[in-house]
Structures are given as structure tokens and as C-alpha cells.
Amino acid sequence: MMPATEPPITCLVLEDDLLMRDLVGSFVEQVPSLQLVGLHEQPLAAFEQLARQPADLLISDIEMPGLNGLELVRALRQPPLVIFMTSHQKYAAQSYEVDAVDYLLKPLAFDRFLRAIDKARQILQYRRKALSIPEQVPAPDESVPPGSTPAEEYFFIRTEMQFVKLRYNEVVYIEAMRDFTKVYLEDGTVHITLVNLKNIESQLPALLFVRTHRSFLVNASKIEVITNQDVKLLKVAVPLSLTFRDAVTERVVQNRLITRRSS
């Protein structure tokens, strides 16, 4: 899964159920790019190890006696990437709050586990490359006079060793992943850039993009359905938090809502 030149992904597993802990440990040992550095039953033992010896990835159950998996991640000053395991869908929204890489429902399937690991691998691989490359700024486009609006609305992001041009109307949504973001396009392409969501939001047109959640910025024109929990755009559901619900509804629906008027 990972080039031989890349360092292994150090991985710590936290699970209070013995059978599940052994299963996840066996999954980790089958993946050559993973290096198991801890297999814990108690959240406090995992917390102490991570505080003393940081790991790249934490694979953790959520529901445990005492400190649960979500509370553990929030308590860490520099938490690793996290993949949560649980038997309940109800924790999905909270997992977004701590920028979890993935959310696995029990019983675990090995192929689904591998997809989650591959997400973590891509994030770590990109982060290592991005942090090793000096920041560069492209020369200004002198073909467009300052203050004018270009014929095609677009912006650039820096991803790995190149600058990529993205048009506003091809961006579906943008997801925060701690110190970087993932930009999802209509054609299914995903770009990762080492810029946080707050900075991206401040530099994109406020009339085109709307925040639905602390971790999500969406293209308002792509929203097709708004519920109390999420917005649906191009068959993808993106979380909608209570904080942003009224603003999103007002922005998207505006005066286009057909109502029943009294005669």
C-alpha cells in the first residue's frame, strides 16, 4: 500500500473488548505499511502512551467505560489521525468534530478497514511531502487587470509539488482535515491542500460558498435537499450543524420557496 521509501505508519489500537481488540490487532499486522506500537484495553493507558510517544494513527472504539474514544482524542494536545470503531451510527456527527479520518461500524470487514487505512495513508503521505517543500507563490496573472473579474471564475490551490487551477462551478464541497483541507469536485476528483478551512473560506466568494458545519464548506448552488441534519448535493450528504442551519436555509432557499397563500 505504501512505497518502500516511505516510513511505516505507527498505529495504536484502543478497544475494551478482547475479541475485537485481537481482531483489529490482526488486521493491523496484515498491512505491511502499518507498525503496531500499542494494543490497549484502557483509555488512560492509551492516553499516557500517546502523550509520551506520539503515533501517526489511533484506531479506537468509542463507547468504553470512563473516558470514551471521543473524549480521549479531545484530551490530547496533539492527537494523531483517528479511525473510530463503533456499533452505533449516532456518533458520526461527533466524529466529524474531532476530524476523524473514518468511522467504521462493527462488525468490521477487512476490505472496509483497508479503505480507512488508505485514507490515513494518503493524508500522511501528502502531509509529509507538503511540509518538506518550501512555500512558493506563483507570479501574478498580468493578463487580468487588477480589480477586474476574469471571464472564467477560478482559483488555484497548491497540492504536493504543483499548483492546480479549479473553477468555482466544479467544486462541490470542501472538508477540513485539521491543518489541511480536501476539495471535492463534480467529476469525483479530490485534491488535498495544506491550507486550513478558515483561510480557504475567507478567500472564496461568500456569495458562492456557504459553511454548513465547522468542518465543511459547500458550493451553495449544488445543494439539492436540506434536512435538519445534513444537506444533500449530487447524492452526497454533508453534515449540517444547528449553528449554521438558519444561515444555510436562508441563503439557499431565499425567496424561491413556494408557499400556500390564503385567498
Side-chain angles (χ1 to χ4, degrees):
M1 293 179 66
M2 178 177 286
T5 56
E6 290 286 338
I9 298 171
T10 55
C11 174
L12 186 145
V13 174
L14 173 60
E15 170 61 69
D16 63 337
D17 180 83
L18 175 60
L19 293 178
M20 182 61 64
R21 187 166 64 252
D22 288 344
L23 175 65
V24 178
S26 70
F27 281 2
V28 171
E29 290 175 348
Q30 292 179 62
V31 182
S33 60
L34 297 181
Q35 178 184 343
L36 185 63
V37 296
L39 195 61
H40 291 286
E41 174 186 1
Q42 298 294 333
L44 286 178
F47 177 86
E48 290 176 0
Q49 179 175 342
L50 289 170
R52 183 179 63 253
Q53 177 191 358
D56 295 318
L57 177 64
L58 170 64
I59 304 175
S60 176
D61 188 16
I62 292 182
E63 288 191 325
M64 291 175 289
L67 193 70
N68 69 34
L70 289 160
E71 292 167 340
L72 169 65
V73 173
R74 293 190 187 108
L76 289 165
R77 292 185 62 184
Q78 293 184 314
L81 297 179
V82 183
I83 295 172
F84 282 122
M85 308 174 290
T86 181
S87 301
H88 306 285
Q89 282 277 12
K90 64 182 180 180
Y91 295 108
Q94 293 180 64
S95 73
Y96 283 119
E97 297 288 342
V98 295
D99 298 330
V101 172
D102 212 335
Y103 184 86
L104 304 180
L105 288 175
K106 299 176 182 178
L108 301 186
F110 187 57
D111 61 336
R112 182 66 182 85
F113 174 82
L114 288 178
R115 291 203 301 274
I117 294 301
D118 195 54
K119 288 183 183 179
R121 179 194 63 78
Q122 290 180 44
I123 292 169
L124 286 168
Q125 194 174 47
Y126 176 78
R127 180 183 289 175
R128 288 164 177 166
K129 287 181 180 179
L131 292 176
S132 67
I133 301 170
E135 185 68 27
Q136 297 177 343
V137 178
D141 185 356
E142 296 180 356
S143 64
V144 180
S148 66
T149 302
E152 278 190 304
E153 298 291 350
Y154 62 87
F155 63 101
F156 279 89
I157 60 169
R158 181 170 176 263
T159 174
E160 296 189 2
M161 300 184 68
Q162 58 187 349
F163 296 101
V164 178
K165 179 180 181 179
L166 303 178
R167 292 173 177 81
Y168 296 141
N169 63 6
E170 67 183 355
V171 176
V172 181
Y173 68 98
I174 304 171
E175 179 183 6
M177 299 293 289
R178 293 202 187 141
D179 51 350
F180 57 95
T181 55
K182 299 172 75 173
V183 182
Y184 295 81
L185 306 185
E186 275 192 337
D187 65 1
T189 302
V190 180
H191 293 290
I192 301 176
T193 184
L194 196 64
V195 181
N196 65 38
L197 188 61
K198 182 179 179 180
N199 284 334
I200 287 187
E201 181 181 17
S202 69
Q203 295 174 64
L204 290 180
L207 292 176
L208 299 181
F209 293 89
V210 60
R211 184 78 77 101
T212 65
H213 185 278
R214 67 183 296 271
S215 298
F216 288 89
L217 182 69
V218 309
N219 188 329
S221 69
K222 308 294 183 183
I223 296 177
E224 298 173 341
V225 177
I226 302 174
T227 74
N228 286 336
Q229 293 80 33
D230 56 36
V231 298
K232 293 180 172 61
L233 29 107
L234 302 182
K235 299 183 180 179
V236 176
V238 170
L240 175 62
S241 67
L242 180 61
T243 304
F244 300 101
R245 189 183 300 161
D246 289 345
V248 170
T249 303
E250 182 179 352
R251 168 77 64 81
V252 176
V253 178
Q254 295 180 358
N255 60 350
R256 296 183 176 88
L257 181 64
I258 302 299
T259 60
R260 185 177 65 180
R261 296 177 177 176
S262 58
S263 55

